[in-house]
C-alpha cells in the first residue's frame, strides 16, 4: 500500500464549460487545473515569498500527463503559467512598500547536454552549457541567460519563446512526448527596508520514462530514450541514497549527483536547502501496470527524504564576505608561490581559485545593479538582436511550422521577401558531423565552406547544406525548387516528393511547373527533411486563422506523406515482380545484402507461381470454350448433324466412331477364326452358325 499527501483523478468525468476549460461534472471525482494549483502551486509560491528555495517537479511514464500538469493546454493552464500570473498578481496587490525583482531562465537537458531555451538553436554551443560548482556560488550553469521581467505579459512571452525552442520528438506511445527535461528557473527577490531575500523557484517538467517495445522508437528516438532513462535512473538512485541517509543520519552515504546533468542541476533541490514537491503522473491503462508500480515506489522513496530549508536572507552580504575570504586564501597561495614552495597541485589550485573569484566578482557585480538597469540592458540586447535580423513585412508569403503538439504549432515563421530565399542546414548535429567527417576529405570541406549561407536554417536528418530555394517572383508567385537530387527526395509538396513530381508529365502534375520548380499555393503542406510547414499567403488569410480552421495541421501533412510513400512502395514492388534484379531503395548497404537476396528469391518464386497459374488458366479457358461449342451443337442437332457426325474436331463423336469401328473389326476377326476351325462336313452346328 502506498500513502501520499494528495491523490487526484483527471482521466475522465469532465465537461467543457464552453471556453475550452475542462471542469468536473456534477458528482464526478475529476480534479481540474485550478484545484491542482491551489493544492501544490500555491504552496510553492508561499514558500518563495518567505525566502525559501523551492522546487516542483513532475515524474511519470511518457503520456501520463506530466506536461499537462506543469504547462497545461489551451485554456487549461498548468502550474507554471498560473504561478507566473499569481506572482505578479501578488506583487500588484502588495502595499507594504517592498520592492520585488523577477528574473527568468529556461533550460532543457537534451541527450545529457544543457541548452538555454532563450537562445536560438543555431546560436547555442554544440556541447551545451557547463554545470559548475564553487564554494561561493554553489551549483550553477555557466553563461545561462537570466532575463528580467516586470509583468505577467513579459514572463508569458519569455515562456512562449522558450516553448518555441523546446526539443520535441514523436513516438507511437505519445505523439507530443517531451524528449528533454525542461526546467523553468524563476529568481524571486524581495527587497525590504532592512533585508533582502532571494528565492530560486525550479519548476521541472521531466521527460517521460519509456520502454522501447511499447513506444516503437528507433534511431535517434531510441538514443534519446536511452539518455532519458539513464538520467531518470540516476535520479532514482539519488533519491534512494538520500532516503537512506535521512533514515540513518549517522551512516556515510555517497549520493551520485555527478552521474547525470539532471541530478547535478537538482542537487540543491533534492538534498539541500530547498522545499521540494513531487507530482507523480500515473497512467490508468492496465498495460502500463509495471511502469505505474515503479512510479509509485519511486515516489514512496522520495517521500522519506528530509531537507533542511533555511531562509536565504541578505545573499549579497554573504557573497561579499565569502569573496573576501577567498581573496585572502588566494594571496596566501601567491605568497607561497613566491617563496618557492610550489608544485603541480598548487598551480592547479591557483587556477581554480582565480576562476572562482572571477565568477564570484561577476555575480557580485550583477547583484549590485539595480533592477531598472537590468531591464534596460535586456531591452538594448533584444533591440540589437532585432536590428541584426532582416526587417520583413509581415504581409509577405511565409511558411509556418506544423507540430504534433498544438502548443508548438504555428510558432516558427520563415518569410519569403522579394527575390530568392535559400533553405538549408548551416549547422549539423555532432553525431552526423563526426560520421561525415570520416568520409569527406579536406578539399570537399573547403568547397562546402565556399557555399553561401542559407537564409533559413533547418536541422535534421536528410537536410542538405543547400537544400531548396523559394523565389518570390515579381508577379507574386512563389516558386519552390530543390537544389540537388538528394534534396528533391527529402522535400515533399502535399505529401509528394519533388523528384517524383519532376518525373511526372506537366499536365498530370498537381502544381504548375516552372522549369525545375513548382508554384506554391496557399495552404500547401511542405516537408523539408523532418520539418513540417504550411505555406501561407497573408493576403488570403493569416497563419493563425488557417491553423485554427483545421485546414492545415500536422496530422493531415503526415497522412499525405504516408499515402504517397505507400503508393510509391507498391509501385516499386510491382515493377520488381517483372525485374527481379532491381534493388529496392534502402537495401543498397552491405548490412542489408541478405535481406535483398531473400526478397529477390521471394520475388522469383512469386513470378514462377504466377506463370504456372497463367498456363493453367489458359488451358482451363480452352476447355471451357470447347465445352461451350459442344453444348451448342447438342442443343441444335438438326442444323449441323453432318458436322456432329463427321467433324474431326468433336471429341465426343470421334470417340464413339472409333469405338464402333473397333468393335466391328474384332467381331469379324472372331467370326473368321471360328470359320477356319470348323469341320468340312455339314453338321447341325455349322448350319446353325452359318444360318
Amino acid at each position: 500500500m502506498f500513502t501520499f499527501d494528495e491523490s487526484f483523478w483527471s482521466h475522465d468525468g469532465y465537461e467543457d464549460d464552453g471556453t475550452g476549460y475542462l471542469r468536473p461534472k456534477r458528482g464526478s471525482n475529476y480534479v481540474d487545473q485550478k484545484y491542482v494549483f491551489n493544492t501544490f502551486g500555491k504552496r510553492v509560491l508561499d514558500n518563495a515569498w518567505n525566502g525559501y528555495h523551492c522546487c516542483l517537479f513532475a515524474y511519470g511514464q511518457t503520456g501520463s500527463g506530466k506536461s499537462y500538469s506543469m504547462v497545461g493546454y489551451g485554456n487549461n493552464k498548468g502550474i507554471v503559467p498560473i504561478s507566473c500570473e499569481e506572482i505578479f498578481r501578488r506583487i500588484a496587490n502588495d502595499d507594504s512598500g517592498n520592492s520585488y525583482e523577477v528574473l527568468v531562465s529556461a533550460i532543457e537537458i537534451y541527450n545529457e547536454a544543457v541548452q538555454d531555451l532563450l537562445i536560438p538553436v543555431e546560436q547555442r554551443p554544440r556541447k551545451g552549457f557547463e554545470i559548475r560548482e564553487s564554494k561561493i556560488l554553489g551549483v550553477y550553469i555557466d553563461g545561462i541567460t537570466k532575463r528580467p521581467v516586470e509583468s505577467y505579459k513579459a514572463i508569458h512571452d519569455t515562456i512562449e519563446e522558450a516553448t518555441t525552442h523546446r526539443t520535441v520528438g514523436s513516438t507511437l506511445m505519445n505523439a507530443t512526448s517531451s524528449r528533454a527535461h525542461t526546467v523553468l528557473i524563476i529568481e524571486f527577490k524581495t527587497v525590504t527596508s532592512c533585508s533582502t531575500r532571494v528565492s530560486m523557484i525550479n519548476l521541472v517538467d521531466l521527460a517521460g520514462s519509456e520502454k522501447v517495445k511499447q513506444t516503437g522508437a528507433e534511431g535517434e528516438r531510441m538514443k534519446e530514450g536511452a539518455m532519458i532513462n539513464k538520467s531518470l535512473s540516476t535520479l532514482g538512485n539519488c533519491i534512494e541514497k538520500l532516503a537512506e541517509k535521512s533514515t540513518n543520519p549517522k551512516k556515510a552515504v555517497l549520493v551520485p549527483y555527478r552521474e547525470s546533468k539532471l541530478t547535478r542541476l537538482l542537487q540543491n533541490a533534492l538534498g539541500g536547502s530547498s522545499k521540494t514537491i513531487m507530482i507523480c503522473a500515473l497512467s490508468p491503462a492496465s498495460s502500463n501496470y509495471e511502469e505505474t508500480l515503479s512510479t509509485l515506489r519511486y515516489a514512496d522513496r522520495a517521500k522519506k527524504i528530509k531537507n533542511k530549508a533555511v531562509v536565504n536572507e541578505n545573499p549579497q552580504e554573504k557573497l561579499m564576505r565569502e569573496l573576501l575570504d577567498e581573496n585572502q586564501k588566494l594571496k596566501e597561495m601567491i605568497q607561497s608561490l613566491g617563496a618557492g614552495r610550489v608544485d603541480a597541485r598548487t598551480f592547479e589550485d591557483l587556477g581554480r581559485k582565480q576562476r572562482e573569484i572571477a565568477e564570484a566578482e561577476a555575480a557580485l557585480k550583477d547583484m549590485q545593479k539595480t533592477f531598472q538597469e537590468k531591464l534596460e540592458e535586456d531591452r538594448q540586447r533584444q533591440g540589437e538582436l532585432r536590428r541584426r535580423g532582416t526587417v520583413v513585412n509581415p504581409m509577405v508569403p511565409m511558411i509556418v511550422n506544423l507540430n504534433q503538439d498544438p502548443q508548438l504549432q504555428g510558432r516558427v515563421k520563415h518569410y519569403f521577401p522579394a527575390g530568392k530565399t535559400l533553405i538549408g542546414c548551416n549547422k549539423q548535429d555532432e553525431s552526423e558531423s563526426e560520421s561525415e567527417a570520416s568520409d569527406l576529405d579536406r578539399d570537399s570541406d573547403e568547397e562546402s565552406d565556399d557555399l553561401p549561407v542559407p537564409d533559413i536554417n533547418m536541422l535534421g536528418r536528410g537536410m542538405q547544406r543547400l537544400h531548396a530555394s523559394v523565389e518570390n517572383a515579381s508577379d507574386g508567385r512563389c516558386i519552390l525548387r530543390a537544389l540537388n537530387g538528394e534534396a528533391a527526395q527529402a522535400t515533399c509538396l502535399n505529401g509528394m516528393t519533388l523528384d517524383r513530381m519532376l518525373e511526372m508529365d506537366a499536365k498530370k502534375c498537381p502544381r504548375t511547373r516552372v522549369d525545375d520548380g513548382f508554384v506554391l499555393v496557399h495552404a500547401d503542406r511542405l516537408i523539408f527533411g523532418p520539418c513540417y510547414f504550411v505555406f501561407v499567403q497573408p493576403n488570403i488569410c493569416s497563419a493563425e486563422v488557417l491553423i485554427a480552421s483545421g485546414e492545415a495541421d500536422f496530422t493531415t501533412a503526415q497522412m499525405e506523406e504516408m499515402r504517397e510513400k505507400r503508393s510509391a512502395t507498391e509501385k516499386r514492388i510491382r515493377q520488381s515482380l517483372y525485374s527481379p534484379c532491381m534493388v529496392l531503395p534502402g537495401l543498397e548497404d552491405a548490412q542489408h545484402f541478405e535481406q535483398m537476396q531473400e526478397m529477390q528469391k521471394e520475388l522469383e518464386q512469386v513470378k514462377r507461381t504466377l506463370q504456372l497459374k497463367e498456363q493453367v488458366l489458359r488451358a482451363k479457358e480452352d476447355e471451357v470454350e470447347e465445352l461451350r461449342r459442344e453444348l451448342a451443337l447438342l442443343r441444335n442437332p438438326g442444323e449441323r448433324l453432318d458436322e456432329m457426325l463427321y467433324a474431326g474436331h468433336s471429341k465426343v463423336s470421334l470417340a464413339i466412331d472409333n469405338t464402333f469401328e473397333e468393335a466391328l473389326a474384332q467381331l469379324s476377326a472372331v467370326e473368321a477364326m471360328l470359320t477356319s476351325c470348323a469341320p468340312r462336313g455339314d453338321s447341325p452346328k455349322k448350319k446353325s452358325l452359318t444360318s
Side-chain angles (χ1 to χ4, degrees):
M1 180 180 292
F2 301 95
T3 57
F4 304 102
D5 298 323
E6 300 288 345
S7 179
F8 302 136
W9 178 262
S10 59
H11 180 59
D12 55 15
Y14 56 83
E15 62 182 5
D16 193 331
D17 65 352
T19 64
Y21 183 77
L22 304 181
R23 64 187 179 188
K25 292 181 179 179
R26 182 176 299 178
S28 71
N29 295 323
Y30 177 78
V31 174
D32 60 3
Q33 297 282 59
K34 293 179 181 177
Y35 188 91
V36 175
F37 170 77
N38 292 332
T39 305
F40 289 133
K42 188 174 181 296
R43 195 183 307 174
V44 171
L45 292 186
D46 292 340
N47 293 332
W49 227 261
N50 294 327
Y52 294 101
H53 292 329
C54 46
C55 178
L56 173 66
F57 65 94
Y59 174 80
Q61 182 189 6
T62 181
S64 56
K66 300 179 301 302
S67 297
Y68 181 77
S69 300
M70 296 298 295
V71 181
Y73 171 69
N75 286 340
N76 299 276
K77 296 180 180 179
I79 293 175
V80 172
I82 297 178
S83 299
C84 296
E85 189 175 2
E86 181 68 13
I87 286 174
F88 290 99
R89 190 189 67 80
R90 291 189 182 189
I91 291 175
N93 295 335
D94 183 51
D95 55 359
S96 61
N98 299 335
S99 61
Y100 301 93
E101 300 177 7
V102 182
L103 301 176
V104 179
S105 301
I107 66 167
E108 73 172 1
I109 303 176
Y110 175 70
N111 282 349
E112 285 297 296
V114 180
Q115 299 291 358
D116 190 343
L117 289 177
L118 299 182
I119 298 178
V121 177
E122 60 273 7
Q123 299 178 12
R124 300 177 189 172
R126 178 178 297 175
K127 295 184 179 180
F129 293 86
E130 293 294 331
I131 299 178
R132 303 187 185 278
E133 182 178 10
S134 70
K135 294 181 180 179
I136 304 175
L137 301 176
V139 179
Y140 66 98
I141 304 173
D142 187 19
I144 191 175
T145 303
K146 292 185 178 181
R147 181 170 296 177
V149 290
E150 57 181 347
S151 64
Y152 171 69
K153 182 180 183 304
I155 196 172
H156 177 268
D157 293 343
T158 302
I159 295 175
E160 290 290 300
E161 179 183 348
T163 305
T164 301
H165 296 153
R166 195 180 73 187
T167 301
V168 175
S170 61
T171 61
L172 294 179
M173 180 175 289
N174 183 10
T176 61
S177 175
S178 301
R179 310 303 300 177
H181 308 299
T182 308
V183 184
L184 180 69
I185 305 173
I186 302 175
E187 183 177 333
F188 181 70
K189 181 187 290 187
T190 305
V191 181
T192 64
S193 57
C194 57
S195 66
T196 301
R197 296 192 302 268
V198 175
S199 174
M200 302 296 292
I201 307 173
N202 293 306
L203 303 175
V204 187
D205 180 14
L206 296 177
S209 61
E210 57 186 42
K211 293 183 178 179
V212 176
K213 290 183 179 179
Q214 288 185 349
T215 60
E218 57 184 12
E220 285 296 318
R221 299 286 84 81
M222 187 169 65
K223 179 183 176 182
E224 291 172 359
M227 289 293 184
I228 291 169
N229 291 338
K230 175 189 174 183
S231 60
L232 293 177
S233 298
T234 305
L235 178 61
N237 294 334
C238 290
I239 289 176
E240 185 177 0
K241 295 297 182 182
L242 289 169
E244 183 181 352
K245 187 176 181 180
S246 299
T247 55
N248 192 358
K250 295 182 179 180
K251 185 177 179 181
V253 179
L254 178 62
V255 184
Y257 290 120
R258 295 179 179 271
E259 292 184 4
S260 171
K261 297 290 182 65
L262 175 65
T263 52
R264 189 80 172 122
L265 183 63
L266 298 179
Q267 179 174 341
N268 187 56
L270 293 173
S273 175
S274 176
K275 292 196 172 186
T276 303
I277 298 175
M278 178 179 180
I279 297 178
C280 291
L282 307 175
S283 171
S286 59
S287 59
N288 298 325
Y289 172 79
E290 293 181 1
E291 290 287 337
T292 299
L293 190 62
S294 174
T295 302
L296 291 173
R297 290 170 178 166
Y298 204 100
D300 191 55
R301 290 195 300 267
K303 191 179 178 183
K304 299 176 183 178
I305 301 174
K306 294 180 176 60
N307 287 351
K308 295 180 180 180
V310 296
V311 176
N312 301 280
E313 199 163 6
N314 299 323
Q316 186 172 338
E317 296 177 4
K318 180 182 177 182
L319 180 60
M320 291 180 65
R321 185 170 59 252
E322 292 180 349
L323 188 58
L324 291 173
D325 294 340
E326 292 298 324
N327 274 323
Q328 183 62 33
K329 293 179 181 179
L330 182 62
K331 289 179 181 179
E332 294 175 357
M333 293 179 67
I334 293 175
Q335 290 175 359
S336 64
L337 184 64
R341 300 188 303 272
V342 64
D343 54 12
R345 185 171 182 179
T346 305
F347 271 115
E348 184 180 351
D349 293 341
L350 181 63
R352 187 176 65 253
K353 288 291 183 185
Q354 289 177 334
R355 185 175 64 251
E356 289 181 358
I357 290 174
E359 292 168 352
E361 287 176 347
L364 181 61
K365 184 179 179 181
D366 187 67
M367 283 184 178
Q368 291 173 343
K369 294 179 183 177
T370 64
F371 188 62
Q372 293 301 324
E373 290 176 343
K374 294 178 181 178
L375 284 172
E376 185 61 30
E377 288 181 359
D378 184 69
R379 291 193 189 100
Q380 293 177 359
R381 184 166 53 249
Q382 295 295 324
E384 181 64 24
L385 291 175
R386 284 193 292 270
R387 283 193 295 273
R388 288 179 184 177
T390 304
V391 179
V392 179
N393 181 3
M395 294 305 293
V396 303
M398 69 182 81
I399 53 174
V400 181
N401 78 305
L402 299 175
N403 195 283
Q404 307 100 314
D405 189 347
Q407 289 184 327
L408 302 178
Q409 190 161 255
R411 294 185 179 275
V412 180
K413 296 180 180 179
H414 296 300
Y415 296 92
F416 300 129
K420 183 179 292 186
T421 302
L422 296 178
I423 302 172
C425 180
N426 191 32
K427 178 181 177 183
Q428 299 175 340
D429 58 55
E430 187 175 359
S431 60
E432 291 181 354
S433 63
E434 289 178 355
S435 62
E436 290 179 358
S438 61
D439 299 329
L440 298 177
D441 55 11
R442 186 175 301 175
D443 294 336
S444 62
D445 291 338
E446 293 177 355
E447 291 177 0
S448 63
D449 292 338
D450 295 336
L451 294 176
V453 178
D455 301 302
I456 299 175
N457 186 34
M458 298 182 187
L459 302 178
R461 187 178 298 275
M463 290 298 301
Q464 306 295 314
R465 174 69 185 272
L466 291 179
H467 191 90
S469 68
V470 176
E471 181 184 359
N472 189 350
S474 57
D475 57 1
R477 298 187 302 173
C478 287
I479 303 171
L480 172 67
R481 292 183 175 90
L483 299 182
N484 55 61
E486 294 183 1
Q489 295 176 2
T491 305
C492 296
L493 175 58
N494 295 329
M496 188 178 295
T497 58
L498 295 190
D499 63 332
R500 187 177 177 188
M501 294 178 68
L502 289 170
E503 295 173 355
M504 296 176 63
D505 185 83
K507 296 181 180 180
K508 297 181 179 180
C509 187
R511 286 290 175 266
T512 303
R513 184 169 172 177
V514 180
D515 297 331
D516 57 347
F518 302 93
V519 178
L520 296 177
V521 178
H522 179 71
D524 275 348
R525 278 75 60 196
L526 300 172
I527 303 176
F528 301 98
C531 307
Y532 289 73
F533 292 90
V534 59
F535 178 72
V536 179
Q537 288 278 15
N539 57 353
I540 298 178
C541 78
S542 65
E544 291 75 15
V545 173
L546 178 64
I547 293 175
S549 65
E551 186 177 351
D553 60 1
F554 179 83
T555 304
T556 302
Q558 194 176 45
M559 291 300 295
E560 286 177 340
E561 182 187 20
M562 292 175 63
R563 281 196 297 267
E564 289 297 331
K565 284 184 177 180
R566 184 173 57 197
S567 175
T569 303
E570 291 175 352
K571 182 179 179 180
R572 287 195 297 268
I573 291 176
R574 285 195 298 268
Q575 292 176 349
S576 63
L577 290 175
Y578 299 97
S579 302
C581 296
M582 175 182 175
V583 180
L584 295 179
L587 299 179
E588 298 90 346
D589 299 337
Q591 60 182 352
H592 299 300
F593 184 70
E594 294 182 358
Q595 297 179 6
M596 181 184 67
Q597 286 185 327
E598 292 179 0
M599 183 174 290
Q600 288 182 348
K601 290 180 181 178
E602 292 179 1
L603 293 176
E604 284 287 346
Q605 183 65 31
V606 171
K607 183 178 179 180
R608 286 194 296 269
T609 303
L610 291 176
Q611 290 175 346
L612 291 174
K613 288 184 177 180
E614 187 177 5
Q615 293 176 359
V616 173
L617 181 61
R618 289 178 179 175
K620 293 292 184 182
E621 289 178 350
D622 293 341
E623 292 183 5
V624 170
E625 187 64 27
E626 208 50 56
L627 291 173
R628 284 177 178 174
R629 285 199 295 268
E630 292 184 3
L631 181 60
L633 293 174
L634 291 173
R635 287 177 177 175
N636 303 292
E639 296 180 0
R640 303 182 64 183
L641 182 60
D642 295 338
E643 182 180 0
M644 182 176 176
L645 291 176
Y646 302 106
H649 66 271
S650 177
K651 295 181 180 179
V652 176
S653 58
L654 184 62
I656 294 174
D657 291 343
N658 292 337
T659 304
F660 185 71
E661 290 176 357
E662 289 178 359
L664 289 176
Q666 291 177 0
L667 183 61
S668 300
V670 170
E671 185 177 4
M673 182 182 65
L674 291 175
T675 304
S676 62
C677 294
R680 295 186 178 273
D682 294 339
S683 64
K685 282 186 178 178
K686 182 178 181 183
K687 289 181 180 179
S688 62
L689 285 173
T690 55
S691 62

